[in-house]
């Protein structure tokens, strides 16, 4: 009986403490927000095609299987579907519906991204011309997880998502600059 | 006059807490007698043969005594299942990343797995009532940790695998020493 009590106390502590910690961390001001930036040796116009063109987009966004073309000429209100492979869910394919809410080539592109019963949010790509053929790319994302358990896990999810975003932007920089060198 | 070391170790490993000392003692007496009457070589051969033919019977006795069930249940429930559950939890966390990610795991998550494996194995080790059972639980904890790693979806770097496989049996034995 003494051991059962001890086990119950340990199990309760193992569950309650992390849950309370996650709930507190979930209230922080930057919850669900990510940012990545890089200075890339390319002009804004050159860089724009890597963001706007689906074929190029899938080259630097890891785990993207397909980026379908805009359903109408690119601009505010146009939609496109991003198809992702979720290796952590047995390789399941997931379609993310993106709606363009801001389209100002070659400086700003904002997309609303949503998957029913999973998340919704927006991703902003901002390109700033630094002169001398250099551009600063900022990617800012804000997501809201709709699944209650996922919302609880948000303090763990967001840092990993930001790490992935930073890795993708670094890949874009490396790809763009290596192509620029070839030319 | 000592019997073959490997055969004796195997006998002690296979026989349960209740049987090991008696069986080993009886075999040793007979071994000494045979060495004196028929020579050392014949005695050693006889000892190895006796151990080999006793393994299944001793294992059967051990299973009936519930010792194997205790070791198996303690390590399966205490080490393998928590590690597999943590792996599923990390899969869920990574699966919630809006633009998805691969199977690598952040060092913090791997550290949580190591701490969990250590604590759970220590808990299993604390339930052992003898050194032999503690050793059996430690070995089973390492096997259970290996099984969990083998079946986990996340990538397991070599250093992480080594740490888990060492920490599980080590913490189990340390807990037994602390709480015996």
């Amino acid at each position: 009986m003494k051991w059962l009590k001890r086990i119950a106390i340990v199990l309760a502590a193992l569950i309650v403490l992390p849950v309370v910690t996650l709930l507190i961390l979930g209230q922080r001001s930057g919850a669900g927000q990510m940012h990545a930036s890089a200075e890339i040796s390319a002009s804004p116009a050159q860089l724009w095609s890597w963001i706007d063109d689906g074929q190029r987009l899938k080259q630097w966004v890891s785990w993207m299987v397909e980026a379908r073309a805009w359903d109408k000429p690119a601009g505010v209100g146009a939609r496109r579907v991003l198809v992702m492979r979720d290796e952590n869910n047995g390789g399941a394919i997931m379609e993310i519906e993106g709606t363009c809410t801001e389209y100002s080539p070659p400086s700003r592109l904002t997309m609303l991204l949503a998957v029913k019963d999973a998340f919704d949010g927006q991703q902003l790509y901002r390109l700033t011309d630094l002169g001398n053929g250099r551009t600063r790319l900022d990617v800012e994302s804000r997501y809201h997880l709709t699944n209650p358990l996922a919302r609880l896990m948000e303090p763990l999810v967001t840092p990993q998502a930001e790490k992935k975003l930073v890795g993708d932007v670094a890949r874009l920089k490396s790809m763009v600059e290596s192509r620029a060198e070839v030319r | 006059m000592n019997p073959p070391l490997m055969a004796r170790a195997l006998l002690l490993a296979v026989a349960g807490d209740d049987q090991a000392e008696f069986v080993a003692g009886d075999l040793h007496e007979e071994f000494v007698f045979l060495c004196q009457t028929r020579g050392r070589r014949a005695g050693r051969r006889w000892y190895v043969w006796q151990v080999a033919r006793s393994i299944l019977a001793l294992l059967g006795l051990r299973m009936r005594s519930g010792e194997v069930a205790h070791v198996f249940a303690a390590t399966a429930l205490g080490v393998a299942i928590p590690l597999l559950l943590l792996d599923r939890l990390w899969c869920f966390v990574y699966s919630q990343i809006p633009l998805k990610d691969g199977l690598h795991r952040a060092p913090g998550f791997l550290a949580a797995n190591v701490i969990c494996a250590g604590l759970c194995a220590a808990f299993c080790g604390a339930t052992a009532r003898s050194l032999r059972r503690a050793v059996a639980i430690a070995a089973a904890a390492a096997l259970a940790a290996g099984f969990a790693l083998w079946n986990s979806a996340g990538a397991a770097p070599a250093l992480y695998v080594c740490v888990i496989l060492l920490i599980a049996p080590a913490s189990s034995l340390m807990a037994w020493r602390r709480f015996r």
Side-chain angles (χ1 to χ4, degrees):
Chain A
M1 203 60 192
K2 200 171 79 177
W3 274 102
L4 281 178
K5 266 187 187 172
R6 284 181 187 174
I7 292 170
I9 291 168
V10 169
L11 279 178
L14 283 176
I15 293 168
V16 172
L17 277 178
V19 167
V20 170
T21 309
L22 288 171
L23 283 171
I24 293 169
L25 286 174
Q27 304 304 313
R28 73 199 188 285
S29 59
Q33 292 177 30
M34 294 154 243
H35 177 250
S37 68
E39 287 186 16
I40 301 173
S41 298
S43 67
Q46 284 172 322
L47 204 51
W48 181 259
S49 66
W50 287 87
I51 294 160
D52 187 39
D53 178 4
Q55 288 306 311
R56 286 192 154 184
L57 189 67
K58 77 174 187 187
Q59 288 178 40
W60 63 274
V61 178
S62 53
W63 304 105
M64 185 178 281
V65 179
E66 187 185 355
R68 293 182 192 146
W70 297 106
D71 64 345
K72 54 186 178 184
V76 175
R79 292 166 188 265
R80 77 174 171 197
V81 173
L82 306 177
V83 185
M84 309 298 300
R85 181 188 300 280
D86 187 1
E87 286 295 313
N88 286 286
N89 192 16
I93 297 297
M94 188 175 185
E95 293 192 354
I96 302 173
E97 195 173 295
T99 309
C100 182
T101 55
E102 186 181 15
Y103 191 83
S104 316
S107 58
R108 285 174 78 95
L109 172 67
T110 306
M111 300 268 297
L112 284 181
L113 300 172
V115 174
K116 201 181 170 204
D117 298 329
F119 73 88
D120 54 64
Q122 71 168 31
Q123 188 134 328
L124 160 70
Y125 299 92
R126 194 172 55 233
L127 285 74
T128 312
D129 192 355
L130 301 174
N132 295 325
R134 289 183 67 77
T135 305
R136 179 184 173 86
L137 169 68
D138 289 283
V139 185
E140 284 168 22
S141 308
R142 183 179 301 145
Y143 289 105
H144 173 251
L145 302 166
T146 45
N147 179 315
L149 184 58
R151 267 209 308 277
L152 176 70
M153 293 289 169
E154 183 281 325
L156 298 178
V157 174
T158 301
Q160 301 312 315
E162 187 166 37
K163 201 171 150 192
K164 195 245 183 189
L165 181 64
V166 168
D168 285 347
V169 169
R171 187 178 303 109
L172 171 66
K173 176 181 164 72
S174 144
M175 289 177 85
V176 172
E177 289 182 351
S178 64
R179 292 207 178 190
E181 278 169 22
V182 170
R183 280 184 201 139
Chain B
M1 212 170 288
N2 291 325
L5 187 67
M6 290 294 284
R8 186 174 158 76
L10 182 63
L11 177 72
L12 292 176
V14 167
D17 284 342
D18 305 332
Q19 309 293 328
E21 292 308 316
F22 301 118
V23 176
D26 288 350
L27 278 182
H28 191 259
E29 275 179 24
E30 194 70 23
F31 167 73
V32 171
F33 174 74
L34 279 171
C35 286
Q36 286 166 350
T37 54
R38 286 199 234 160
R40 191 175 168 78
R41 199 170 163 179
R44 289 173 69 87
R45 203 165 49 233
W46 176 85
Y47 192 96
V48 171
W49 170 239
Q50 289 301 315
V51 169
R53 63 186 293 213
S54 307
I55 286 175
L56 283 180
L58 288 170
L59 273 177
L61 277 172
R62 205 168 174 183
M63 280 188 189
R64 281 199 289 277
S65 75
E67 192 181 337
V68 171
H70 170 220
V71 171
F72 177 78
T75 52
L77 292 172
V79 179
I81 290 178
L83 276 178
L84 287 170
L85 284 175
L86 269 181
D87 178 64
R88 292 315 307 161
L89 179 68
W90 304 145
C91 276
F92 176 77
V93 167
Y94 275 87
S95 190
Q96 297 308 312
I97 293 176
L99 293 184
K100 306 303 157 202
D101 205 348
L103 293 173
H104 65 273
R105 296 290 180 256
F109 293 175
L110 296 182
N113 287 2
V114 170
I115 291 168
C116 173
L119 287 177
C120 292
F123 193 76
C124 296
T127 63
R129 290 189 211 103
S130 65
L131 172 63
R132 288 165 25 71
R133 196 172 288 200
V135 171
I137 286 180
L143 281 176
F147 173 80
L149 289 174
W150 183 263
N151 284 285
S152 64
L159 179 65
Y160 163 70
V161 172
C162 292
V163 170
I164 284 261
L165 291 181
L166 283 175
I167 207 117
S171 55
S172 171
L173 285 173
M174 279 162 62
W176 172 75
R177 276 193 64 183
R178 173 75 179 78
F179 294 106
R180 68 180 165 173

